[in-house]
Amino acid sequence: MWKYILKKILLAVPVLLGITIIDYAIMSLAGSPLDMMVGPRISEAAVASRAAQWGLDQPVYVQYWHWLVEVFHGNLGYSYKSYQPVADLIRSHVGPTLLLMGVSMILGLLIAIPAGIYSAVHRYEKRDYAVVSASFLFSSIPGFFLSLILIYFLNVRFGLLPSSGMMTAGTGGDFADIARHLIMPAIVLAVGVAGGNIRYIRSAVLEILEMDYLRTAKAKGMGRRIVIRKHAFRNALLPIVTVIGMQIPTLFGGAVIVEQLFSWPGLGLVTMSAVMGRDYPVIMGVCLLSAVVVLVSNLLTDILYAIVDPTIKY
């Protein structure tokens, strides 16, 4: 196992390097931050001075090399807009994003796992069709559209929940206040998680239910709940773990739009602001963090395989 983990980590280094190269190239094609400075009150000399200060007067590959060297020294650079260290900027906003992702993942799985098992046990019945239809609905509805619906009914129409921020302005933000602000964005992300996972869990449980050893367990008089809980669900966890591992980077990306709509003070707001302002260091810092999240989630998924299924050998 340890050799396998070390091998995966070593392979992740060139993959991560390749991702940063592609990100930097695409970002450079989108335009220069200097374009945002051009105006009647800004002289060409001032623009040239700022280009030299930021290193934007050099070729793209030279800019990337300087950025990469600084990353290896633990420096992600400074924001072109706020002049804050990018590492501090990300560190101050990653907490709310992780909170939103964690709650959404847990809530989505609490919906998906029972619904998937229930649908598999009652396959080809009306209850099964209802659960599968709900799964397709959850997967199909766009997150921004569901966000607007929740804001209209729960905030504008009935005033039940706040629609922006992480806490009420002027307060310290106790647990109850943060929880009230968290409900709507967490529901939007959880609906997407549940919609995608219900069908996978249903398929995995259906496949296991057809196995001979489960038929033997039933023939011996074991109750259906015991058969499903102790045998079917445990052996169906392998494909479920795969899906959960894939959901982590999806959630990380989906949180950008949801945070923007609900003004949630996470990386989503920082990312959108950086993209609109062509803030290269912040964009690359967020992209680097996203790539690390994807690679780490894939590694953790592989490790969980061995925990779920001891017969797997690396």
Side-chain angles (χ1 to χ4, degrees):
M1 173 66 75
W2 290 110
K3 291 182 179 178
Y4 175 80
I5 295 175
L6 180 60
K7 181 180 178 181
K8 291 284 288 187
I9 293 175
L10 292 177
L11 288 174
V13 174
V15 173
L16 187 62
L17 185 63
I19 291 173
T20 59
I21 292 174
I22 295 173
D23 286 342
Y24 206 96
I26 295 175
M27 180 185 65
S28 300
L29 292 174
S32 172
L34 300 174
D35 297 338
M36 310 297 291
M37 297 177 56
V38 176
R41 297 184 179 182
I42 306 296
S43 64
E44 293 184 2
V47 174
S49 175
R50 186 56 59 90
Q53 179 184 353
W54 290 344
L56 298 177
D57 56 341
Q58 300 174 343
V60 174
Y61 61 88
V62 176
Q63 298 177 35
Y64 171 76
W65 174 252
H66 289 162
W67 175 83
L68 188 63
V69 170
E70 291 298 323
V71 169
F72 278 115
H73 286 86
N75 178 24
L76 295 179
Y78 292 84
S79 169
Y80 290 162
K81 295 181 64 178
S82 65
Y83 303 103
Q84 290 180 267
V86 174
D88 293 344
L89 193 64
I90 292 176
R91 192 180 300 113
S92 63
H93 288 82
V94 72
T97 296
L98 292 179
L99 174 63
L100 178 59
M101 286 176 55
V103 173
S104 303
M105 174 70 78
I106 294 172
L107 182 59
L109 293 178
L110 288 177
I111 297 172
I113 292 176
I117 296 175
Y118 182 83
S119 180
V121 172
H122 300 281
R123 59 179 173 174
Y124 308 135
E125 298 179 9
K126 292 182 179 180
R127 289 172 285 185
D128 177 28
Y129 295 141
V131 173
V132 172
S133 299
S135 172
F136 279 110
L137 177 62
F138 290 168
S139 301
S140 302
I141 185 169
F144 73 90
F145 183 67
L146 180 58
S147 300
L148 296 176
I149 291 176
L150 292 179
I151 290 173
Y152 175 74
F153 283 103
L154 299 182
N155 179 262
V156 178
R157 187 72 180 273
F158 300 107
L160 298 176
L161 294 171
S163 63
S164 63
M166 186 176 175
M167 62 187 69
T168 304
T171 65
D174 56 9
F175 176 81
D177 188 36
I178 295 176
R180 292 181 68 250
H181 284 79
L182 181 63
I183 290 175
M184 283 200 286
I187 288 176
V188 173
L189 291 177
V191 164
V193 172
N197 286 334
I198 287 175
R199 297 192 304 277
Y200 285 109
I201 295 172
R202 177 184 181 275
S203 300
V205 175
L206 276 178
E207 184 178 353
I208 297 298
L209 289 176
E210 296 296 329
M211 296 294 181
D212 292 336
Y213 69 90
L214 284 186
R215 296 176 181 174
T216 303
K218 293 178 183 178
K220 289 182 177 180
M222 295 182 65
R224 185 174 67 174
R225 291 185 179 181
I226 297 177
V227 171
I228 293 173
R229 185 174 66 251
K230 289 190 175 182
H231 299 283
F233 181 66
R234 175 67 184 271
N235 289 281
L237 276 178
L238 196 58
I240 295 174
V241 167
T242 305
V243 175
I244 295 174
M246 293 169 59
Q247 288 289 343
I248 295 176
T250 303
L251 269 176
F252 196 84
V256 173
I257 304 299
V258 174
E259 288 180 5
Q260 184 75 12
L261 290 170
F262 289 100
S263 299
W264 187 261
L267 289 176
L269 285 176
V270 174
T271 303
M272 292 300 295
S273 175
V275 169
M276 297 301 294
R278 298 178 185 176
D279 197 343
Y280 279 8
V282 177
I283 294 174
M284 286 305 300
V286 174
C287 288
L288 180 64
L289 177 62
S290 303
V292 171
V293 168
V294 173
L295 294 174
V296 170
S297 63
N298 289 336
L299 177 60
L300 292 178
T301 301
D302 291 340
I303 295 173
L304 285 175
Y305 281 169
I307 298 175
V308 174
D309 187 357
T311 62
I312 292 180
K313 303 297 181 182
Y314 290 95

